[in-house]
Amino acid sequence: MNDLLARATWSALVEPGDAVAGTLVGLLGAQGALAWVRHALRGAPELSRLEAVRGPLADPDRRRIERALARWAVRLPDCDPVRDLDRLDRLGGALLVPGDPRWPVALDDLGPEAPFGLWVRGTADLGRSLVRSAAIVGSRAATSYGERVAFDLADGLAADGVWVVSGGAYGIDAAAHRGAVARHGRTLVLLAGGVDRAYPAGNARLLEAVVGAGGALASEVPPTSLPTKSRFLQRNRLIAAAGRATVVVEAAWRSGAMSTAHHAARLLRPVGAVPGPVTSMASAGCHRLLRDGVAVCVTDAAEVRELAGLIGADLASDAEAAADARVARPHDALDPVTRRVLDALPRRTPAQLDRVASVAGVTVAEARGAVGLLELEGWAARRGDGWITVVRSTS
């Protein structure tokens, strides 16, 4: 068995973030560790072999190894790396492992908790791609404000060739991926389940659009693997490690996004947070990160690039220039709700707000907020008690 097959086996055998398995592979190599496990499950584990490499094992370490072997014994008979690689091949994917020039070496910072490999669909050269990257995360139950900010941040980063990293969930994650795709940029979706499983199912078209735009879907577990709560929590460490910086747009006091931010801080990755209304529970986590000094305040893509150390000649020179750039964006740079409202506005005969909301498939309150924003940016105008769209140049 070669290293690729051994690592494919390990990724199916153990749960993500298993430090005991990571330590074994670090000591004996993927093939050697797997052979040691198979031998141990047929009889008493040869702990002396491990001690010859790392020194005497304390009793707690011996017990951890024994418990790990008991866990792995249940799953090992079902592991079939050839079958898993064949499924990935039918998807047009690739398995990246350490030592492959396409491997994102930033993940090695996770130490014993680093993934054994990445099962990838789409652009496979993540090693080169993630040199210019930033993670954008936040609440699934996002507000329209949060989705708008996430979309704009991703749009601005993608315009500068920065890969946007997130988790593919509803809310902030999805808005960030859409922002990158709308700018014809690249984005990496790190999944908690297999790359053949669109989760959540409602984002299936978005995930395919990511691949079609030159981005990638990646997971540390093989195809057909189910996303579970523990895997979602472990997936957060990959997002934190993959990005040169992590930005939290909206997050409750305790949430997965907060977990990602703390993973990033432990890895000494810069962390940014977008402030929100002080009365908004959706931004309570962001305010906590700012107050505790874990994060710095960021408000636009230029500040995210600066946070990630990606300063270039195109960095906005001041806030006024950045604001002008936002005003001049085309329609597809608007957040999803506002864009749907804009699409629903007639050009000639004014439509009342409830009619606009019905056509757009949003609430009247959302339509009211969207037309107000569109009016400020010059895309809509009030005519009597109705609204119309304004055709304007984007050059």
Side-chain angles (χ1 to χ4, degrees):
M1 177 178 287
N2 60 28
D3 184 70
L4 184 74
L5 287 174
R7 287 183 173 273
T9 302
W10 276 110
S11 70
L13 176 62
V14 306
E15 281 299 295
D18 190 322
V20 176
T23 300
L24 280 176
V25 171
L27 292 173
L28 305 177
Q31 299 174 69
L34 191 59
W36 184 90
V37 168
R38 292 184 186 279
H39 180 78
L41 293 178
R42 289 194 295 267
E46 294 181 341
L47 297 179
S48 59
R49 184 179 173 191
L50 300 181
E51 291 179 322
V53 179
R54 74 180 299 274
L57 291 169
D59 287 342
D61 293 328
R62 291 171 176 267
R63 287 193 292 270
R64 277 193 288 270
I65 292 172
E66 291 170 357
R67 288 195 297 270
L69 287 170
R71 293 195 303 269
W72 304 339
V74 176
R75 191 177 287 179
L76 185 59
D78 295 326
C79 291
D80 187 342
V82 174
R83 176 199 62 202
D84 293 337
L85 287 167
D86 181 60
R87 286 170 174 163
L88 184 66
D89 186 62
R90 290 198 297 269
L91 294 169
L95 175 60
L96 308 185
V97 297
D100 187 319
R102 301 171 298 175
W103 174 257
V105 294
L107 298 186
D108 296 340
D109 291 346
L110 291 167
E113 295 182 3
F116 299 106
L118 284 181
W119 304 77
V120 181
R121 280 188 61 207
T123 297
D125 191 354
L126 298 183
R128 183 172 58 179
S129 302
L130 296 182
V131 170
R132 291 176 57 81
S133 62
I136 298 177
V137 296
S139 174
R140 288 174 173 80
T143 67
S144 57
Y145 161 79
E147 290 188 347
R148 167 65 188 270
V149 171
F151 186 99
D152 283 354
L153 289 178
D155 173 87
L157 291 170
D160 190 39
V162 178
W163 274 64
V164 175
V165 180
S166 198
Y170 289 133
I172 298 301
D173 288 14
H177 294 307
R178 288 192 183 100
V181 171
R183 180 60 74 167
H184 307 292
R186 310 292 181 86
T187 181
L188 171 63
V189 184
L190 284 163
L191 299 167
V195 294
D196 58 335
R197 289 181 175 272
Y199 190 90
N203 281 347
R205 292 180 62 184
L206 172 60
L207 299 186
E208 292 305 316
V210 166
V211 174
L217 313 179
S219 175
E220 61 184 310
V221 293
T224 75
S225 298
L226 294 172
T228 62
K229 184 176 181 180
S230 63
R231 289 174 180 175
F232 278 113
L233 292 173
Q234 289 295 331
R235 184 270 312 271
N236 294 336
R237 83 194 195 287
L238 298 187
I239 297 174
R244 291 281 301 271
T246 293
V247 175
V248 183
V249 177
E250 281 186 328
W253 190 260
R254 298 177 65 181
S255 65
M258 292 289 284
S259 167
T260 305
H262 287 293
H263 277 300
R266 284 192 290 271
L267 292 168
L268 302 181
R269 302 285 199 274
V271 179
V274 176
V278 296
T279 55
S280 173
M281 292 304 296
S283 293
C286 294
H287 299 157
R288 179 183 180 183
L289 292 171
L290 292 170
R291 188 188 66 229
D292 292 348
V294 176
V296 299
C297 177
V298 294
T299 60
D300 58 27
E303 293 176 351
V304 177
R305 291 197 298 271
E306 181 180 8
L307 183 70
L310 303 173
I311 301 175
D314 56 348
L315 187 63
S317 59
D318 52 46
E320 183 177 357
D324 289 342
R326 284 195 294 270
V327 171
R329 281 183 180 149
H331 295 176
D332 62 8
L334 299 170
D335 72 90
V337 170
T338 305
R339 191 166 64 251
R340 284 161 61 185
V341 170
L342 178 59
D343 291 341
L345 290 175
R347 291 194 175 188
R348 295 183 178 85
T349 305
Q352 294 187 346
L353 204 57
D354 57 351
R355 174 60 180 167
V356 173
S358 176
V359 173
V362 300
T363 67
V364 174
E366 288 175 325
R368 184 179 297 109
V371 295
L373 177 62
L374 291 169
E375 183 180 33
L376 287 173
E377 297 195 351
W379 294 114
R382 183 190 291 272
R383 294 290 185 269
D385 59 353
W387 293 85
I388 61 170
T389 186
V390 174
V391 179
R392 47 173 282 189
S393 172
T394 61
S395 60

